[in-house]
Amino acid sequence: MRWIVTKDYWGNCLGMGEDEDGVPTHGKPEQGDALPMEFWLCDANENVVFEGRCGDIDADWWHGMEPLLYTWTTFRCRRLYYRRAGTKESWRPLRP
């Protein structure tokens, strides 16, 4: 699933993500505008480390875990919250 970091509170990771084939890549944050979901990646204390956009997690929750798995070890991200982009829906935790 395509995903990209659009806001970076860690430093030096803006644009980090994966392409449609799951290959790690760097892009421009604006490339996320076409993706249907937005997400937060948080540490164990619920501090937002990264914000980004990704494919439809509701349709494919397994691949929705990819941003979390990618950032788990290096950045200590422990939780992913998501919602449909452009809405005021409540943020939902990723729960497989």
Side-chain angles (χ1 to χ4, degrees), residues 1 13 16 21-22 32 44 46 57 59 62-63 65 69-70 75-76 91-92:
M1 177 189 315
C13 295
M16 172 179 68
D21 298 319
E46 299 292 324
I57 293 175
W62 178 256
H63 288 103
M65 292 178 57
L69 294 173
Y70 190 87
F75 304 104
R76 305 259 189 245
W91 290 93
R92 296 179 283 171

Side-chain angles (χ1 to χ4, degrees), residues 35-51:
L35 300 170
M37 307 297 269
E38 54 189 2
F39 65 82
W40 287 346
L41 289 166
C42 301
D43 63 16
N45 294 323
E46 299 292 324
N47 298 310
V48 177
V49 179
F50 302 112
E51 292 182 30

Side-chain angles (χ1 to χ4, degrees), residues 1-7 13-29 31-33 35-41 50-57 62-72 75 77 80:
M1 177 189 315
R2 174 82 170 117
W3 64 272
I4 189 165
V5 169
T6 58
K7 291 187 182 169
C13 295
L14 194 62
M16 172 179 68
E18 291 183 350
D19 67 14
E20 297 81 16
D21 298 319
V23 177
T25 189
H26 266 76
K28 295 180 179 161
Q31 292 172 315
D33 292 347
L35 300 170
M37 307 297 269
E38 54 189 2
F39 65 82
W40 287 346
L41 289 166
F50 302 112
E51 292 182 30
R53 297 283 290 265
C54 65
D56 192 348
I57 293 175
W62 178 256
H63 288 103
M65 292 178 57
E66 290 175 356
L68 184 60
L69 294 173
Y70 190 87
T71 59
W72 184 272
F75 304 104
C77 294
L80 184 143

